[in-house]
Amino acid sequence: MSGRSPVRTVGELRATLTTGRGLPGDVGDFEAGPARELHRADPADPAGLSGLVRLVEEYRRRVIARQDPVFGSSVAAAVAEIRATRRKAP
């Protein structure tokens, strides 16, 4: 990954998710998220859009994690450990 994050704006985040660089299902979930958060927002509250900000930050972190080579191997190791544990269960 270059020194500049590929997800500096909401538009770049949407484009990145659309190309499959997030986690499985992220693009659809992200597209529904802003509408849901706007519906909940209280326009009289100065922090009314904080849910939208949290949503964007969460998906941005997912994209960054997905691009980290250690992330994939860590997830694979965790899945293997869970499967092994399930095989041992009575």
Side-chain angles (χ1 to χ4, degrees):
M1 185 164 70
S2 69
R4 178 178 147 2
S5 172
V7 288
R8 291 173 49 110
T9 68
V10 175
E12 289 172 345
L13 177 57
R14 289 181 74 223
T16 300
L17 290 171
T18 301
T19 60
R21 290 184 283 174
L23 300 175
D26 274 359
V27 68
D29 293 343
F30 179 76
E31 291 297 329
R36 184 179 59 249
E37 292 303 325
L38 286 172
H39 181 73
R40 293 179 185 163
D42 178 356
D45 180 3
L49 296 178
S50 63
L52 184 57
V53 171
R54 281 192 306 274
L55 177 83
V56 170
E57 289 172 347
E58 171 63 25
Y59 282 92
R60 182 176 184 275
R61 284 190 297 269
R62 289 177 184 211
V63 167
I64 291 168
R66 182 68 185 248
Q67 293 177 3
D68 182 348
V70 175
F71 177 80
S73 60
S74 296
V75 170
V79 168
E81 185 176 329
I82 291 168
R83 288 181 177 157
T85 301
R86 287 181 178 168
R87 283 193 295 271
K88 292 178 186 176

